[in-house]
Amino acid sequence: MNAAARKIQTVYLTLTLGNTLAASFIWGINTLFLLDAGLSNLEAFAANAFFTAGMVLFEVPTGVVADSWGRRTSFLLGTVTLAGSTYLYYLLWQLSAPFWWWAAVSALLGLGFTFFSGAVEAWLVDALHFSGYDGGLETVLGRGQIVSGIAMLAGSVAGGVIAQATNLGVPFLLRVAVLVAMFVVAFLLMHDVGFTPERSAHPLRATRAVLKASVDGGLRNPPVRFMMLAAPFTEGVGFYVFYALQPYLLQLFGDPKAYAIAGLAAAIVAGADVVGGWLAPQVRKLVRRRTTVLIASTITSSVVLVVLLATNVFWLALVLLALWAVVASAGTPVRQAYLNDMIASKQRATVLSFASLMGSSGGVVVQPVLGRAADVYGYPASLALGGAVQLLAAPFMLLSRRRRAPADLATGLAAAP
């Protein structure tokens, strides 16, 4: 890695660290926060579904913003939107607002995250191309996941402990403060390199052009399309499991006020991100095809969720959930690298946003369905059902594999399409 690429990586890791730290202050207690506000399990997971619906609705428009106005502009808009909507969440909790207010603000939270989803990754890949980096993309993305996991571990545990020492609203205020700081950091350090935004005097015409090119490079590109079709099952279940861990572990622990234990749920996922980020490039040295890693990760993590049905022991459940998270996390950088090596630079943010949209669309349906299953049959049964749903992603990954895209075998950063 040369000096220019190292500088790009440092900025990427800094942005990842700050953003994940800000977001993770509430991840360990979010479901408890919603239940404390008077929502039922169904309403709490429906509110989360509105969050993912907001991501579905805004993913492509914000991806167009990133490709038309710049990835830096998109990131800055994301910090402002997410800070404002998080503060509104805090106000709704104080006012014990009715469900539909929660639904609306949850959708705004989704808007905030969509400004980040395709922009940061697209900025990184194009900047690395520009710097002359020719190493494996899994390596840099894996480091980003390690940093994200460390930040998530610190933020989620701190959020749980702070909530227990004060109240459930304080971690939300901490998120707002860190996001404001990240706006300043990104404004000073993040600049679009290796990519020139195509601003136009006719924004609607430009938007249509970017969308058309993105569809051509996404849904009309078979190996990319099949990975997109797999995303609703893997990411929809992932959303549910992450948020269900909080009340599930508290139920097993036997103390509904032990918010630090709820923070431990997010900490498990954070630690798994660190391990998975380290494992991804190591696994790729041993496994020839990226799709082999992705299919194996999906099947293994699904089986672990089903096995949870057979245990009601707190520490055994922790071990199984840690295994689920590590296996799933190890596949994430591989999937990111696989997709990026098949996407053209000019539409990269939009196509990545559309891929994220497909995953979020699964969350819109899966979360309330599994939340209802938790109400009727309990959390272990809902997690096992989630494992069965996630298995439906494997055939689509196999179809992507059969297209034999060069990206499936790539070990270095592919030339920009």
Side-chain angles (χ1 to χ4, degrees):
M1 181 173 287
N2 59 39
R6 189 172 292 110
K7 181 178 179 180
I8 294 300
Q9 177 183 253
T10 300
V11 175
Y12 166 67
L13 296 180
T14 301
L15 297 176
T16 299
L17 176 68
N19 252 27
T20 307
L21 180 65
S24 63
F25 279 127
I26 74 164
W27 283 347
I29 49 96
N30 182 69
T31 304
L32 303 177
F33 177 83
L34 295 173
L35 296 175
D36 188 66
L39 301 183
S40 67
N41 265 322
L42 175 60
E43 289 173 330
F45 285 105
N48 289 337
F50 272 93
F51 163 74
T52 50
M55 295 183 72
V56 169
L57 182 62
F58 298 116
E59 276 288 7
V60 172
T62 54
V64 172
V65 168
D67 282 334
S68 301
W69 293 89
R71 284 76 190 261
R72 177 175 181 259
T73 298
S74 184
F75 188 94
L76 295 175
L77 287 171
T79 57
V80 172
T81 305
L82 191 55
S85 51
T86 298
Y87 186 68
L88 287 176
Y89 234 48
Y90 172 78
L91 292 180
L92 294 182
W93 173 72
Q94 284 197 317
L95 298 172
S96 296
F99 169 75
W100 289 108
W101 282 104
W102 290 99
V105 177
S106 293
L108 285 178
L109 284 168
L111 169 62
F113 276 103
T114 59
F115 278 114
F116 301 131
S117 58
V120 179
E121 195 174 312
W123 175 84
L124 170 70
V125 175
D126 287 335
L128 287 175
H129 276 300
F130 183 77
S131 71
Y133 174 71
D134 60 359
L137 190 52
E138 284 98 339
T139 301
V140 180
L141 292 170
R143 288 170 184 163
Q145 187 167 298
I146 290 171
V147 168
S148 176
I150 292 170
M152 182 178 171
L153 181 62
S156 57
V157 172
V161 172
I162 290 168
Q164 188 163 335
T166 55
N167 61 60
L168 287 165
V170 172
F172 286 79
L173 297 179
L174 285 175
R175 176 196 264 194
V176 173
V178 176
L179 284 169
V180 171
M182 286 310 300
F183 178 91
V184 177
V185 170
F187 185 84
L188 295 175
L189 298 180
M190 186 181 187
H191 303 284
D192 289 322
V193 291
F195 168 78
T196 302
E198 294 189 356
R199 301 185 182 183
S200 170
H202 304 284
L204 290 178
R205 188 182 305 166
T207 298
R208 285 196 299 269
V210 171
L211 281 174
K212 181 182 182 302
S214 299
V215 170
D216 291 341
L219 287 176
R220 291 178 182 168
N221 185 352
V224 176
R225 177 173 70 245
F226 290 126
M227 289 305 299
M228 288 183 174
L229 292 174
F233 304 105
T234 55
E235 295 188 33
V237 171
F239 273 123
Y240 174 76
V241 174
F242 180 76
Y243 288 113
L245 289 185
Q246 302 159 25
Y248 172 57
L249 289 179
L250 281 180
Q251 187 180 82
L252 288 179
F253 189 71
D255 182 358
K257 295 293 184 182
Y259 298 142
I261 296 296
L264 180 62
I268 289 172
V269 179
D273 277 349
V274 174
V275 177
W278 176 81
L279 277 176
Q282 312 306 320
V283 171
R284 277 291 287 135
K285 292 176 183 177
L286 302 173
V287 180
R288 186 164 174 260
R289 290 185 176 274
R290 283 167 167 163
T291 50
T292 301
V293 178
L294 298 176
I295 293 168
S297 171
T298 299
I299 293 174
T300 305
S301 59
S302 297
V303 170
V304 172
L305 290 177
V306 173
V307 171
L308 280 169
L309 184 61
T311 181
N312 57 3
V313 179
F314 176 75
W315 293 108
L316 179 57
L318 277 183
V319 171
L320 289 171
L321 288 168
L323 177 61
W324 165 80
V326 168
V327 171
S329 295
T332 300
V334 179
R335 179 181 180 274
Q336 290 172 295
Y338 182 45
L339 285 175
N340 270 286
D341 279 347
M342 296 187 289
I343 301 172
S345 173
K346 289 186 180 297
Q347 296 86 39
R348 192 183 304 280
T350 308
V351 175
L352 290 174
S353 289
F354 195 82
S356 182
L357 177 155
M358 295 293 288
S360 298
S361 67
V364 174
V365 178
V366 170
Q367 288 188 96
V369 169
L370 294 182
R372 180 59 180 162
D375 278 334
V376 177
Y377 304 110
Y379 287 111
S382 71
L383 293 170
L385 179 59
V389 171
Q390 185 175 271
L391 276 175
L392 297 175
F396 292 105
M397 294 177 180
L398 184 60
L399 287 171
S400 180
R401 175 192 180 89
R402 288 180 175 174
R403 291 292 176 164
R404 299 189 178 278
D408 199 9
L409 297 171
T411 55
L413 185 61

